[in-house]
């Protein structure tokens, strides 16, 4: 039996600079019946502005989970991981690194920086959808997430 979730939708922040990958993530998430709200930012610097509710993101809602690409301009995923996990107000947000890299150095550095999971983006569209569905199901139905703060 699955654990009951709160009535609030799961808030997912997608941090990825590839519009094609963002579209595939959004489409895969849209096909599940987990109640969710998806926010998208295109690089690490914008992710930190979103998380800290700065500038045009002053009305942003705290995400329940972050799907984070590693290789982005301005501020990459490793830097985002370091900043989020080093921030007492943000460190409890689970971060799933969702990236094309399967390099051991990226995997080790992500876990060293306290990523909650590391998932390599599959090339095959069906496999990609399956991976995103599994992440969605896990964070939407299985795990207990920290309560959101306003």
């Amino acid at each position: 039996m699955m654990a009951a979730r709160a009535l609030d939708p799961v808030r997912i922040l997608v941090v990825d600079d590839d519009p094609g990958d963002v579209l595939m993530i959004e489409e895969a998430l849209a096909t599940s019946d987990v109640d969710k709200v998806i926010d998208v930012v295109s690089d690490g610097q914008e992710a930190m502005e979103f998380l800290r509710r700065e500038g045009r993101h002053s009305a942003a809602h705290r995400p329940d989970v972050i799907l984070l690409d590693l290789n982005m301009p301005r501020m990459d995923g490793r830097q985002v991981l370091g900043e989020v996990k080093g921030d007492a107000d943000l460190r409890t947000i689970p971060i799933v690194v969702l990236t094309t890299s399967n390099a051991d150095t990226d995997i080790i550095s992500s876990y060293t920086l306290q990523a909650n999971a590391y998932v390599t983006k599959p090339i095959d569209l069906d496999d990609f959808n399956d991976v995103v569905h599994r992440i969605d199901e896990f964070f939407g139905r299985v795990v207990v997430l920290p309560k959101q703060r306003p």
Side-chain angles (χ1 to χ4, degrees):
M1 171 163 282
M2 295 284 180
R5 270 204 57 83
L7 297 176
D8 293 333
V10 176
R11 299 195 76 91
I12 300 171
L13 176 61
V14 176
V15 185
D16 198 317
D17 67 319
D18 184 319
D21 284 354
V22 169
L23 182 61
M24 289 192 310
I25 292 167
E26 288 178 318
E27 288 178 351
L29 290 171
T31 61
S32 88
D33 61 357
V34 173
D35 190 20
K36 72 188 76 60
V37 174
I38 304 165
D39 292 299
V40 177
V41 295
S42 60
D43 64 49
Q45 187 172 324
E46 188 180 0
M48 295 313 302
E49 291 167 2
F50 184 97
L51 293 167
R52 292 182 174 140
R53 297 180 178 120
E54 296 172 347
R56 66 187 181 105
H57 296 292
S58 61
H61 291 274
R62 179 186 175 94
D64 294 305
V65 64
I66 299 169
L67 301 183
L68 178 67
D69 188 26
L70 283 185
N71 300 310
M72 297 177 291
R74 296 201 304 163
M75 176 186 242
D76 72 14
R78 295 160 202 82
Q79 293 168 299
V80 172
L81 265 171
E83 286 211 25
V84 170
K85 296 304 182 177
D87 185 315
D89 290 330
L90 302 175
R91 71 172 52 128
T92 59
I93 301 171
I95 298 179
V96 176
V97 172
L98 182 60
T99 188
T100 55
S101 173
N102 61 1
D104 287 342
T105 54
D106 286 335
I107 296 166
I108 291 166
S109 69
S110 294
Y111 282 117
T112 300
L113 291 167
Q114 302 176 3
N116 298 86
Y118 190 101
V119 179
T120 302
K121 293 175 183 173
I123 295 170
D124 178 79
L125 182 59
D126 289 335
D127 291 343
F128 188 97
N129 285 335
D130 183 53
V131 163
V132 174
H133 282 149
R134 288 173 185 253
I135 294 168
D136 187 39
E137 186 73 18
F138 183 70
F139 284 99
R141 299 198 190 283
V142 177
V143 301
V144 177
L145 295 166
K147 296 232 186 279
Q148 289 186 27
R149 287 180 266 185

